[in-house]
mmCIF file of all heavy atoms in Angstrom:
data_model
loop_
_atom_site.group_PDB
_atom_site.id
_atom_site.type_symbol
_atom_site.label_atom_id
_atom_site.label_comp_id
_atom_site.label_asym_id
_atom_site.label_seq_id
_atom_site.Cartn_x
_atom_site.Cartn_y
_atom_site.Cartn_z
ATOM 1 N N VAL A 901 68.574 142.714 -14.971
ATOM 2 C CA VAL A 901 69.983 142.388 -14.799
ATOM 3 C C VAL A 901 70.903 143.388 -15.484
ATOM 4 O O VAL A 901 72.110 143.361 -15.269
ATOM 5 C CB VAL A 901 70.286 140.968 -15.337
ATOM 6 C CG1 VAL A 901 69.484 139.926 -14.567
ATOM 7 C CG2 VAL A 901 69.985 140.869 -16.830
ATOM 8 N N GLY A 902 70.391 144.266 -16.318
ATOM 9 C CA GLY A 902 71.228 145.212 -17.033
ATOM 10 C C GLY A 902 71.641 146.392 -16.181
ATOM 11 O O GLY A 902 71.070 146.651 -15.109
ATOM 12 N N LEU A 903 72.635 147.141 -16.661
ATOM 13 C CA LEU A 903 73.117 148.304 -15.921
ATOM 14 C C LEU A 903 72.017 149.321 -15.643
ATOM 15 O O LEU A 903 71.907 149.817 -14.513
ATOM 16 C CB LEU A 903 74.270 148.973 -16.675
ATOM 17 C CG LEU A 903 75.685 148.560 -16.248
ATOM 18 C CD1 LEU A 903 75.945 147.099 -16.589
ATOM 19 C CD2 LEU A 903 76.725 149.451 -16.925
ATOM 20 N N PRO A 904 71.184 149.698 -16.635
ATOM 21 C CA PRO A 904 70.151 150.696 -16.340
ATOM 22 C C PRO A 904 69.211 150.268 -15.225
ATOM 23 O O PRO A 904 68.875 151.075 -14.348
ATOM 24 C CB PRO A 904 69.414 150.837 -17.685
ATOM 25 C CG PRO A 904 70.415 150.461 -18.715
ATOM 26 C CD PRO A 904 71.204 149.353 -18.078
ATOM 27 N N ALA A 905 68.780 149.005 -15.232
ATOM 28 C CA ALA A 905 67.869 148.525 -14.192
ATOM 29 C C ALA A 905 68.538 148.546 -12.826
ATOM 30 O O ALA A 905 67.930 148.927 -11.815
ATOM 31 C CB ALA A 905 67.375 147.119 -14.528
ATOM 32 N N CYS A 906 69.815 148.140 -12.763
ATOM 33 C CA CYS A 906 70.529 148.150 -11.485
ATOM 34 C C CYS A 906 70.704 149.572 -10.968
ATOM 35 O O CYS A 906 70.530 149.840 -9.768
ATOM 36 C CB CYS A 906 71.888 147.474 -11.648
ATOM 37 S SG CYS A 906 71.805 145.684 -11.889
ATOM 38 N N ILE A 907 71.053 150.484 -11.856
ATOM 39 C CA ILE A 907 71.220 151.884 -11.457
ATOM 40 C C ILE A 907 69.897 152.461 -10.970
ATOM 41 O O ILE A 907 69.854 153.241 -10.004
ATOM 42 C CB ILE A 907 71.795 152.698 -12.625
ATOM 43 C CG1 ILE A 907 73.236 152.246 -12.902
ATOM 44 C CG2 ILE A 907 71.745 154.200 -12.339
ATOM 45 C CD1 ILE A 907 73.796 152.748 -14.222
ATOM 46 N N ASP A 908 68.813 152.076 -11.604
ATOM 47 C CA ASP A 908 67.492 152.556 -11.192
ATOM 48 C C ASP A 908 67.161 152.108 -9.774
ATOM 49 O O ASP A 908 66.672 152.900 -8.957
ATOM 50 C CB ASP A 908 66.438 152.045 -12.179
ATOM 51 C CG ASP A 908 65.063 152.642 -11.928
ATOM 52 O OD1 ASP A 908 64.980 153.862 -11.697
ATOM 53 O OD2 ASP A 908 64.078 151.892 -11.959
ATOM 54 N N THR A 909 67.437 150.843 -9.463
ATOM 55 C CA THR A 909 67.167 150.368 -8.095
ATOM 56 C C THR A 909 68.084 151.057 -7.093
ATOM 57 O O THR A 909 67.685 151.337 -5.962
ATOM 58 C CB THR A 909 67.331 148.847 -7.979
ATOM 59 O OG1 THR A 909 68.696 148.478 -8.218
ATOM 60 C CG2 THR A 909 66.436 148.108 -8.961
ATOM 61 N N ALA A 910 69.321 151.337 -7.495
ATOM 62 C CA ALA A 910 70.257 152.020 -6.608
ATOM 63 C C ALA A 910 69.788 153.436 -6.312
ATOM 64 O O ALA A 910 69.847 153.907 -5.169
ATOM 65 C CB ALA A 910 71.647 152.043 -7.248
ATOM 66 N N ASP A 911 69.326 154.115 -7.331
ATOM 67 C CA ASP A 911 68.843 155.486 -7.154
ATOM 68 C C ASP A 911 67.632 155.502 -6.216
ATOM 69 O O ASP A 911 67.532 156.349 -5.322
ATOM 70 C CB ASP A 911 68.478 156.081 -8.511
ATOM 71 C CG ASP A 911 68.240 157.573 -8.445
ATOM 72 O OD1 ASP A 911 69.212 158.323 -8.301
ATOM 73 O OD2 ASP A 911 67.067 157.986 -8.532
ATOM 74 N N ALA A 912 66.717 154.552 -6.418
ATOM 75 C CA ALA A 912 65.527 154.486 -5.565
ATOM 76 C C ALA A 912 65.914 154.187 -4.117
ATOM 77 O O ALA A 912 65.352 154.767 -3.172
ATOM 78 C CB ALA A 912 64.569 153.422 -6.096
ATOM 79 N N ALA A 913 66.883 153.285 -3.920
ATOM 80 C CA ALA A 913 67.326 152.951 -2.563
ATOM 81 C C ALA A 913 67.952 154.159 -1.886
ATOM 82 O O ALA A 913 67.685 154.444 -0.708
ATOM 83 C CB ALA A 913 68.317 151.791 -2.620
ATOM 84 N N ALA A 914 68.783 154.893 -2.618
ATOM 85 C CA ALA A 914 69.439 156.066 -2.036
ATOM 86 C C ALA A 914 68.418 157.133 -1.661
ATOM 87 O O ALA A 914 68.525 157.767 -0.595
ATOM 88 C CB ALA A 914 70.457 156.625 -3.032
ATOM 89 N N ARG A 915 67.440 157.344 -2.502
ATOM 90 C CA ARG A 915 66.422 158.359 -2.201
ATOM 91 C C ARG A 915 65.571 157.940 -1.005
ATOM 92 O O ARG A 915 65.154 158.780 -0.201
ATOM 93 C CB ARG A 915 65.561 158.611 -3.441
ATOM 94 C CG ARG A 915 66.358 159.259 -4.564
ATOM 95 C CD ARG A 915 65.513 159.625 -5.778
ATOM 96 N NE ARG A 915 66.367 160.089 -6.862
ATOM 97 C CZ ARG A 915 66.888 161.317 -6.935
ATOM 98 N NH1 ARG A 915 66.629 162.197 -5.977
ATOM 99 N NH2 ARG A 915 67.666 161.661 -7.944
ATOM 100 N N ARG A 916 65.318 156.656 -0.882
ATOM 101 C CA ARG A 916 64.570 156.168 0.280
ATOM 102 C C ARG A 916 65.351 156.445 1.569
ATOM 103 O O ARG A 916 64.786 156.948 2.556
ATOM 104 C CB ARG A 916 64.308 154.672 0.122
ATOM 105 C CG ARG A 916 63.805 153.977 1.386
ATOM 106 C CD ARG A 916 63.513 152.514 1.101
ATOM 107 N NE ARG A 916 63.450 151.764 2.336
ATOM 108 C CZ ARG A 916 62.392 151.765 3.169
ATOM 109 N NH1 ARG A 916 61.343 152.496 2.882
ATOM 110 N NH2 ARG A 916 62.415 151.056 4.280
ATOM 111 N N ILE A 917 66.654 156.151 1.554
ATOM 112 C CA ILE A 917 67.479 156.367 2.742
ATOM 113 C C ILE A 917 67.611 157.854 3.056
ATOM 114 O O ILE A 917 67.500 158.278 4.219
ATOM 115 C CB ILE A 917 68.868 155.728 2.556
ATOM 116 C CG1 ILE A 917 68.749 154.205 2.477
ATOM 117 C CG2 ILE A 917 69.802 156.136 3.687
ATOM 118 C CD1 ILE A 917 68.098 153.552 3.675
ATOM 119 N N ALA A 918 67.841 158.670 2.049
ATOM 120 C CA ALA A 918 67.977 160.110 2.278
ATOM 121 C C ALA A 918 66.684 160.696 2.835
ATOM 122 O O ALA A 918 66.714 161.544 3.737
ATOM 123 C CB ALA A 918 68.363 160.811 0.982
ATOM 124 N N GLY A 919 65.563 160.246 2.312
ATOM 125 C CA GLY A 919 64.277 160.727 2.826
ATOM 126 C C GLY A 919 64.077 160.346 4.277
ATOM 127 O O GLY A 919 63.593 161.150 5.090
#
Side-chain angles (χ1 to χ4, degrees):
V901 299
L903 265 66
C906 289
I907 292 167
D908 187 44
T909 65
D911 192 73
R915 293 184 187 281
R916 168 177 162 78
I917 294 302

